[in-house]
Structure formats: C-alpha cells, structure tokens
Amino acid sequence: MRSVKSLATAAEAGRHQREWFADLRRRVADGEPFALLNADVPHEIFRTMDIPYAVSQWWASLVAAKQRSGHYLELVRQRGYPDYSEQYNAVTLGSAFDPEPEAGPWGGLPKPDIIVGDATGDVTRKVFDIWGHEPGVTFYPLESAAENEVPVNWWELMPHRWEQAVGPARLDLLTAELENLVRFLETTTGRRFSESRFREVMALVNEQEEWNRKTRDLIARTRPAPLGVVDSIPSVMLPQWHRGTEWARDIAKRFYEEVRERVDTGQAACPDERARLMWIGRGLWYDMGFYQRFQDEYGAVFVWSMYLAIAADGYIRYGDDPMRALAARFAAFTDQLYTPPWSSEWYVKEARLHGIDGVVHLVSDDPRGSYFTARALEAAGFPVIEIHADNVDARTFGDEVVERVGRWLENVVLA
Amino acid sequence: MPTALAALEEAYARRAAPRPPASPASSEGLAGTRTPVVGYVGADMPVELLTAAGVSAFRLTGDPESGSALGDRYLGRGVDPMARSVLTRLLDGAFGDLDHVVVSHDCEASLRLFYALRELRRVEPGTRLPEVYLVDILHLPHRTTARYNRRRIGEFAARLEAWTGRPLDLAGAVAAHDERRRLLAAVAELRRAVPARLTGRQFLAVADPGLPVDEHIALLERLLAEAGRLEEHTGRRVFLSGSDHDTPHVYEAVESEGYVIVGEDHSFGGPQPDRPVGAGGLDALAEHYHHSGPTAHRATAGERAAHAARAVRQCRAEVFVAYSRIADEAPAWDFPAQRAALDVPAVLLERQEYGRADLTALRKEHPCAV
Ligand code: SF4
C-alpha cells in the first residue's frame, strides 16, 4: 500500500511552474524577447540578464506527459524530417510547425526569438538550426568538445578542482563562447549583463544544489526510503529549470526539510520495503506510474534516479571566476551521465551510497555508453535489467516490459 | 604490368588487412625502433601529420559481411553499424598489429568508438587493444572553434613526435597530400565526363586504396596518363549523398541496376570542395580541417543543400540519392532542404542496413532505369 502522497514541495513546484509559464506567455506577448534553451546550456546567463526562457527538454516532457508527442512528431514528419530521430528535441521542434500553437499544452509554447543548443551528437545542432530558419528566430550554437584523458573521480573534483576534472582546452573554448553569447544577447535584446548580479545567480545555484546534495544523502542512508523517484523528480527538476532564483533555492531547502520530516516521523514510500531500485536513464514521462507499480506487489521501491543525484553531484562549482566556473558546469555535463569512465564509476558510487538491490536501465536508441554502465554495476555486484524504449516516444514502449521487470524482481533481486 | 586502375582496385581490395612485416631497412626508424603502425578512424583526421611523422597509417574500415556482435555489445545498437563493425574487427585482430589507434570526432559514432576503446583498455585489459588517441577537431564556423582546433592539432603533433622520437616533416607531408588532392580532383573530372570514364565503384578504389601517399600519387599519375584507355559508362547518372561508405557494397548495389554514381559527398569518396593546405604549418592545417566538409554529421542542412546543388550541376547528375543508414540519421535531416535546392529528382533511402541498399524508392522514381 502506498503511504506517501505527493510531497507539498512537488505540488508547490507544479503550481509555480504553471504560474511561471502563464507569466512568461504574458511577458512574451508584451514584446519581451523569448529564448528556448537546450537543457545542457548555461541558463545562468539568461537568468542574470532577465531574459525569459524555457527549456527544450522540459517542454518535450510536458508534451509527452500530455500524450501529445505523436502529434508533434507527425508535424516534423510532414515537413519531410525523420520522426524516429532525436525525438527529445524533435518533439519541441514540432511545436514550431504547429498551425495551431495555442492548442498546445498550457496555451502553447511561444515562438522563440533566440535558441541556444550545444552541438552534441550529429543531429541536435541540425534540429535547432532548422528551427533557426523560421522567420524571426536566431540559433546560437555551442560546441560540444571532448577530452582524451580524464581523471575518474569527477564528483570529488568538480566543486573546487573543476579545472583539473574538465581540462583547460574545453574550459577556454566554452568560456570564450559564453563571453560571446553575452555580447550577442546584449546586442540583440538591449539588456545589460551585470557582473554582480551574475555572482548572485551563481551563488544561488550552488546553494540550491547543496540543499539537493543533503537531500540525496538523506534518502541514500534512510531505510525504508522516505520517498520514491516519482515524488523526488518534480521536486528537484522543476526548481532546476529555475536555477539561480531565490524561489528555486528556497524550495530546494523546503524539499530537504520535508524529506527530513518524513524521515523523522518514520514515513516511507513503502513501509514494507524489500528492495531498493535504481533507475538509470531519462524519465519515462508518458508512464510515471511505472515506478510505483512494483511497490505494491513486490515491495520494490525506486529510490534513485539521476535527477536528484546529478543535482547533488553535477552542478556545484565554486571559484573566483564565475564565467569559467559556469563553463566548468557545462563543458562536460553529458560526460558525467553518459561517458565512461565518468558515468559508469559514478553510477557504481551512487548504487553503493544508496544500498541498491537492483538496477533498471532504460536504454534508448541514442548512442550512449550503456554497456559500460551495466558492466561496472554488475562487476560491483548490482543486478541490472535493461529495457529498450525512447523516453518521450510512447510508440517504442512494449507491453511486455512491466512483466519482464516483475519476473526479474522475483527471480534475481528478491530471490 | 596491370593498368593503374587495376592496381588501385587491387590495393583497395586488400586495404586495412594485416600487413606483412616490413623489411628491416624500412621498418627501422632513426631511434632504432619499429615504425609505428597507426590505424585511424574518421573524416577529420589530419593525415598530413601522420605522414609527417613517418608512421605507417591507414584508415580503419568495417565489413558488413563479417558480423558485429562484439561491436554491438560494447557500443549498443544506437551507434552507426559502421563503427560497430570497426570495433568488432579491432577486437578480432583483423587489422594486424597496430601500435596506436587515432580517432577523430567527425561524427558521434567515432566519438563513441573512442570512448569504448578507451574504457575497454581500462576495464578489460585482456582485449589487448592498442593505445587510443582522440583528435578533437570541431566545426562551428567561429574563431573560438578555430583556436580550439589549433590547440588540438598542436597536441597531436607533439604526441606523434613522442611516439616516433623525431621531429615532424610537415612541409614535405603537406606538399605530398596537396599533390594527391590535385591529382584526385583531376581523376574526379574523368568521372564527371559524359559519358563517365570511371564508375562510382571504381572511384572509391581510386580515392582510397589505403596506400602510402607517395605510392598513391604515382598510381594516380599513371591513371591520368592512361585515361584514354578507360571505358565509357553510360548509365543514368546518380549523385550519392549521405552516410559514409567504407565498403563498395552500396555502390555495387546501385550500379548493378544501370546507374553510374558520378559524385558523392561522403568522406570515403571524391574530394569535397577541397582547397590545398598550402604552406603555413600547423595553423594552415588547423584551418583546413576546421573548414573541411560539408559532411552530413557536422554541417547544417542549409550548407548541405547548397553543396548538393553545386555538386549535382558540376557532375551533371540526373538523379540525387540521399542514403541514410540506420543509426546514422543526420542525412535524413538534410534531405528536405537538399530536395528543395535541386532541379533533378531526389530520392531518400532512409534507415538502410549497413552494406545494403533497398532501392525500392529509387525504382519508383525512375521506372525506366530498371
Ligand atoms: S521514369 Fe520518366 S522521368 Fe524518370 S527517368 Fe524514366 S523517363 Fe525520365
């Protein structure tokens, strides 16, 4: 029996998100510039300059949650583009082609003036560049650079010794690209960039992620788990899209306090917890019920997803040069999650920290280092089951997945 | 003596196979050690540096016939099967004794291959893979990227000097590769002639026989001298765009139906709008590779479309075929803009299997060619 209803912070984050979006639509209607940003680009610059922005992946997850991704992918297909490629960004591109944009979720995504995305993979830059050819839209791409040799223990190095973790070549490149981005935004929007405001924003982000770190550590050491990932994801991710605001810092603190209170009063996601599960991969946005399904029947609780953990380990950057520290936050961001040895060693570290009994690994077709993740976890003694699906394209999710996971719980994890 | 074309085709058939041990005279470097053998991956490899270092270097290719279970396992099936095949062959020892593998970041698949090799060496030393090195050349058309590339080119040059223990002969190497570019452009004209004097399949062999650059130059010179003896190929003229073709399978499938491929825009084919590097050392080399392409994986759809329109005119193609391999999706994103920019029929073959071409869509477009 599920004893936990959604957290108050999750509910408040949801309410704030709707109000924020309505306000954003008003500001854009009043003629303010609007930026659409990929998740891995430095939002902090837009925050500092008070340029309204939305995050491409957040929009795609909302569309998927409304079961509307098929509609937007169809619009992409009608223009002759593939509907089976880079769906996470293609769904959002589809909203640019929508003849009735206001029929979209929450009144629809306003038409952006500026798009910023990084050139990860072969297709991301193309998708945003195609969007950049719509009238009135400018695309500002950022490079996605790679490094030959990296120290394995990035999570220990990143807060203060990020220069050593990321390497000077990538940091010099992204720092220069960001300086140019500021100039571009000053020129095209007429807004000013204030260095003291920038320092405030950077400090607020570190504070917010420090609260997330405390929350992660608390959940990791508490048995039974005070909450599962369905509750933690909105409480951490919605504030994440508001990084650098006092609201986001404060709600991260309240999220911690709420979890603390659950721990102190002995509340649990599943009081009869028999197994602690780790979810590796993006959120299954079109079926968030997936995560709770196994609690009732097996006492198996998803206590870990990357969202809280990457907030805890992946964002904090201290240092005297805020632009270089910001570059250090993003110059190797995806490597933390997807590139061995960084990703694989980090998942093992997190599995140990959380006392994980089994790992469910969502493997989508996009080319990430999944073998090495599973290998490292299994070598460290954690059973892994892989499920294959795209996280925003419900058409790829097979009916048999739930049954397979159930059999694996019975035969492997709980056996 | 076989014709130059026959010699090039024969070398192409043997390329990237294990080499016989070099003779002692040629295998001894100045430091008294074996000449390092380097396998490389990717279109962005500054091959001039490999030549300048005096290493024995060749581009690694896959094989659609020989299975890719290990590559599938380590890279996952979301990665271009060409890279999965290269990894499988590396693990099988199909390339012989390599001292180093050098990878460029020309596409996501190459980068994933680099990461997999690096990690396999770390966690599964029993695989006995050679040392792997990444040359991270990037392509946004900005000065920030140019500076980054110059730094990476400099690091790679220094690494090569460390491997061989001697300084690079960059000027000589650049001159040799520029000469090869000039000759290849002249050979490309033979194929662009009407009727074409080389098939696309033949051109693949001519462009990339896997020979040292001086041997390649000598054969290209002979080929041009023998041009009068080349056959005429009158098939319907196709420009092939999209995914890389590291083997002739797709060319053979298309040309077996009466087409002749007179131009392409992938990195195993003819020269792109490819300027000489010229003098200028590492700066010029960095700029050259910064601007190389436009390849499907790194250029925008607009750049690709403009290039397609120019190239189709230049080689008087009658049909434009965009080929997008499964898990290599960039070409499919380019296609709508390419079709709009062209005044010849354009066909997209999408989600194609490695080494295969499902020509149903092409046949529908041009029933008379069958
Ligand atoms: S089918 Fe018609 S248009 Fe197409 S090639 Fe044949 S004759 Fe020309």
Side-chain angles (χ1 to χ4, degrees):
Chain A
M1 194 56 152
R2 190 169 173 247
S3 66
V4 174
K5 284 276 173 279
S6 283
L7 296 177
T9 45
E12 191 200 319
R15 191 167 54 242
H16 179 272
Q17 191 71 0
R18 280 181 173 277
E19 285 166 10
W20 159 80
F21 193 71
D23 183 56
L24 180 139
R25 286 177 48 83
R26 262 194 304 280
R27 290 178 68 181
V28 176
D30 288 348
E32 290 199 51
F34 172 54
L36 182 84
L37 309 181
N38 209 6
D40 304 349
V41 308
H43 306 167
E44 288 80 348
I45 286 174
F46 293 80
R47 175 80 57 219
T48 298
M49 299 177 78
D50 194 29
I51 297 170
Y53 69 86
V55 179
S56 171
Q57 283 87 342
W58 164 72
W59 181 255
S61 68
L62 181 66
V63 164
K66 304 273 177 203
Q67 315 298 326
R68 295 271 286 168
S69 47
H71 167 69
Y72 289 105
L73 289 172
E74 177 55 29
L75 293 171
V76 168
R77 187 83 218 167
Q78 281 169 12
R79 294 271 180 129
Y81 301 113
D83 60 357
Y84 51 82
S85 167
E86 185 90 359
Q87 291 98 321
Y88 218 168
N89 284 312
V91 160
T92 309
L93 174 65
S95 67
F97 304 148
D98 197 342
E100 291 186 308
E102 62 289 346
W106 293 9
L109 187 70
K111 185 171 90 63
D113 306 284
I114 297 159
I115 297 178
V116 183
D118 57 338
T120 315
D122 300 331
V123 169
T124 307
R125 179 184 169 212
K126 262 187 221 295
V127 171
F128 288 125
D129 186 76
I130 287 165
W131 199 334
H133 282 84
E134 296 291 303
V137 184
T138 303
F139 170 45
Y140 187 101
L142 297 169
E143 283 291 10
S144 177
E147 190 53 82
N148 245 291
E149 285 149 37
V150 289
V152 171
N153 57 334
W154 64 266
W155 56 91
E156 291 162 16
L157 299 174
M158 282 300 188
H160 296 278
R161 286 181 287 158
W162 38 261
E163 186 84 30
Q164 184 189 341
V166 179
R170 286 192 290 184
L171 289 172
D172 287 352
L173 172 61
L174 185 53
T175 305
E177 290 187 292
L178 295 183
E179 299 285 3
N180 290 344
L181 173 62
V182 169
R183 181 69 166 260
F184 165 75
L185 294 173
E186 287 167 336
T187 307
T188 55
T189 69
R191 303 208 172 183
R192 303 282 287 268
F193 187 89
S194 150
E195 198 70 11
S196 54
R197 174 77 185 121
F198 184 38
R199 285 182 188 277
E200 274 171 27
V201 167
M202 291 297 286
L204 284 166
V205 177
N206 281 339
E207 287 176 41
Q208 176 180 345
E209 315 296 346
E210 293 281 11
W211 284 113
N212 283 161
R213 173 175 287 209
K214 284 168 71 88
T215 311
R216 187 271 314 267
D217 291 348
L218 181 58
I219 293 171
R221 63 176 181 260
T222 305
R223 313 275 186 289
L227 76 171
V229 295
V230 171
D231 294 308
S232 66
I233 288 173
S235 295
V236 65
M237 279 325 287
L238 292 175
Q240 197 68 277
W241 304 136
H242 299 272
R243 277 198 311 280
T245 64
E246 284 170 6
W247 177 81
R249 187 263 324 264
D250 293 346
I251 199 159
K253 176 167 182 276
R254 283 210 296 287
F255 176 39
Y256 170 75
E257 289 164 349
E258 202 176 0
V259 175
R260 170 94 260 167
E261 194 193 320
R262 279 185 188 286
V263 172
D264 291 345
T265 57
Q267 297 180 65
C270 175
D272 304 321
E273 177 178 296
R274 294 172 61 212
R276 295 164 70 85
L277 301 179
M278 183 175 202
W279 172 263
I280 294 185
R282 298 160 175 168
L284 203 58
W285 303 130
Y286 45 78
D287 186 13
M288 293 301 280
F290 178 88
Y291 300 105
Q292 284 156 339
R293 202 163 284 153
F294 305 101
Q295 289 180 196
D296 303 350
E297 199 170 339
Y298 300 100
V301 184
F302 281 97
V303 301
W304 192 96
S305 80
M306 66 174 171
Y307 295 101
L308 178 58
I310 199 67
D313 283 340
Y315 284 84
I316 297 168
R317 301 289 187 277
Y318 293 102
D320 295 333
D321 178 348
M323 195 61 85
R324 198 168 177 84
L326 181 60
R329 182 170 289 149
F330 293 102
F333 194 87
T334 49
D335 291 1
Q336 296 174 158
L337 294 171
Y338 297 115
T339 301
W342 277 13
S343 51
S344 46
E345 295 292 335
W346 181 63
Y347 289 121
V348 169
K349 184 269 284 188
E350 284 294 289
R352 290 195 174 119
L353 183 71
H354 286 75
I356 291 298
D357 301 297
V359 180
V360 181
H361 188 176
L362 176 72
V363 179
S364 51
D365 262 351
D366 87 359
R368 304 296 166 95
S370 60
Y371 167 80
F372 295 101
T373 294
R375 184 202 179 283
L377 286 160
E378 280 170 350
F382 300 101
V384 178
I385 184 171
E386 288 191 350
I387 62 182
H388 291 259
D390 183 88
N391 75 307
V392 293
D393 190 347
R395 300 171 304 179
T396 62
F397 190 72
D399 297 335
E400 76 298 342
V401 172
V402 170
E403 200 187 313
R404 258 187 68 222
V405 172
R407 276 202 307 276
W408 169 78
L409 285 171
E410 276 171 29
N411 301 336
V412 179
V413 177
L414 298 167
Chain B
M1 181 153 82
T3 63
L5 180 58
L8 285 159
E9 291 194 287
E10 208 256 330
Y12 181 75
R14 274 190 287 114
R15 102 213 116 110
R19 330 235 117 182
S23 69
S26 68
S27 68
E28 294 290 311
L30 288 186
T33 50
R34 193 173 83 105
T35 299
V37 181
V38 177
Y40 69 88
V41 175
D44 285 337
M45 186 55 53
V47 286
E48 289 81 357
L49 289 178
L50 297 169
T51 302
V55 299
S56 167
F58 60 98
R59 188 168 178 180
L60 303 184
T61 51
D63 176 8
E65 311 290 344
S66 66
S68 64
L70 286 174
D72 295 352
R73 174 174 175 203
Y74 294 128
L75 286 171
R77 295 218 308 231
V79 174
D80 186 345
M82 183 174 108
R84 289 185 256 151
S85 179
V86 168
L87 177 56
T88 305
R89 300 187 80 201
L90 269 167
L91 290 162
D92 287 346
F95 303 114
D97 251 347
L98 297 173
D99 297 287
H100 309 277
V101 173
V102 186
V103 180
S104 83
H105 187 174
D106 64 328
C107 64
E108 180 69 5
S110 295
L111 185 66
R112 301 311 313 182
L113 174 61
F114 165 75
Y115 287 141
L117 290 168
R118 186 178 75 180
E119 188 67 354
L120 279 169
R121 273 173 58 82
R122 191 179 78 93
V123 298
E124 294 182 16
T127 51
R128 307 178 68 85
L129 286 162
E131 179 185 345
V132 57
Y133 185 85
L134 177 73
V135 183
D136 192 31
I137 303 295
L138 304 176
H139 292 284
L140 289 184
H142 303 299
R143 179 160 180 267
T144 38
T145 299
R147 274 191 315 216
Y148 178 84
N149 287 344
R150 175 62 183 80
R151 179 181 199 150
R152 293 307 197 190
I153 288 262
E155 288 170 357
F156 182 41
R159 179 65 66 110
L160 282 165
E161 290 183 336
W163 286 346
T164 62
R166 62 184 176 216
L168 302 177
D169 171 18
L170 186 56
V174 166
H177 283 272
D178 278 351
E179 174 62 4
R180 171 158 72 178
R181 281 190 187 91
R182 192 185 67 76
L183 292 167
L184 264 179
V187 173
E189 285 302 326
L190 296 176
R191 186 167 55 142
R192 291 195 197 114
V194 181
R197 308 302 297 277
L198 288 167
T199 64
R201 165 70 181 77
Q202 288 171 334
F203 192 84
L204 280 185
V206 168
D208 183 38
L211 293 170
V213 66
D214 48 345
E215 289 176 39
H216 194 190
I217 285 173
L219 281 171
L220 290 173
E221 282 169 342
R222 262 182 60 206
L223 176 67
L224 286 165
E226 293 166 4
R229 285 193 267 149
L230 294 170
E231 278 175 50
E232 297 186 339
H233 304 281
T234 55
R236 195 167 177 78
R237 301 167 69 87
V238 165
F239 185 89
L240 182 64
S241 178
S243 296
D244 269 318
H245 296 279
D246 59 343
T247 74
H249 291 76
V250 170
Y251 277 64
E252 285 165 356
V254 172
E255 293 191 327
S256 73
E257 301 214 1
Y259 301 93
V260 55
I261 295 171
V262 291
E264 63 276 290
D265 59 15
H266 66 84
S267 72
F268 285 87
Q272 312 281 317
D274 201 4
R275 306 154 315 284
V277 175
L282 294 178
D283 289 342
L285 201 60
E287 283 171 16
H288 182 84
Y289 283 95
H290 186 190
H291 300 305
S292 69
T295 67
H297 307 99
R298 289 296 171 261
T300 65
E303 289 163 347
R304 297 273 297 158
H307 175 64
R310 261 196 316 276
V312 162
R313 262 199 310 279
Q314 194 183 22
C315 58
R316 282 163 285 201
E318 300 162 284
V319 191
F320 179 87
V321 176
Y323 181 94
S324 184
R325 191 160 44 239
I326 195 158
D328 181 35
E329 292 152 1
W333 284 95
D334 290 333
F335 182 69
Q338 289 174 322
R339 182 173 52 192
L342 293 169
D343 46 20
V344 298
V347 178
L348 172 64
L349 309 180
E350 60 185 329
R351 304 175 104 167
Q352 299 288 304
E353 275 178 57
Y354 182 39
R356 300 264 164 76
D358 175 355
L359 299 175
T360 314
L362 181 58
R363 291 185 194 122
K364 241 185 255 157
E365 189 69 38
H366 297 284
C368 71
V370 184

